[in-house]
Amino acid sequence: MMASPEFRKQLEGYSLATAEILYRMPDHPSLLQSYIWQDYDLCPEFPALRKFLDFWSRTLDGPLFKVTVAHCRLIKPAELKAVGAEFRLH
């Protein structure tokens, strides 16, 4: 059984990146439209997102207005918390 390509990317340091892209409507420039993009990418450079935004700028008519990016590492070191007390029943 082989690991999925997404899992392999996570082991290589990729994290799940989500971008909300606001762009102006080509026919109505005063209106903004929202587009959600999500993929595994390397933080903080985000090469996959930059490649997508370059493609957008070159080929699509709706000019970009604002891009908001969030990311989360899905595979990370275990989080340990100290327990201050222990209670036993029976």
Side-chain angles (χ1 to χ4, degrees):
M1 185 171 183
M2 293 190 63
S4 70
E6 291 82 10
F7 182 71
R8 288 183 183 194
K9 278 189 167 185
Q10 291 176 45
L11 292 177
E12 294 170 3
Y14 283 75
S15 58
L16 187 61
T18 304
E20 180 187 21
I21 300 167
L22 291 177
Y23 63 97
R24 295 195 183 276
M25 299 290 290
D27 297 338
H28 303 282
S30 61
L31 296 178
L32 292 175
Q33 182 76 21
S34 176
Y35 179 82
I36 301 295
W37 174 92
Q38 190 173 53
D39 201 355
Y40 291 98
D41 211 350
L42 289 171
C43 178
E45 293 85 18
F46 298 109
L49 176 59
R50 288 181 185 268
K51 182 179 176 184
F52 177 75
L53 293 175
D54 288 342
F55 164 79
W56 184 300
S57 297
R58 280 192 326 270
T59 58
L60 300 179
D61 291 334
L64 297 173
F65 177 75
K66 178 180 173 183
V67 178
T68 305
V69 180
H71 73 89
C72 178
R73 292 200 62 164
L74 300 176
I75 296 179
K76 52 188 169 189
E79 295 179 11
L80 300 176
K81 294 183 181 180
V83 177
E86 182 178 331
F87 299 99
R88 292 185 181 205
L89 298 175
H90 301 285

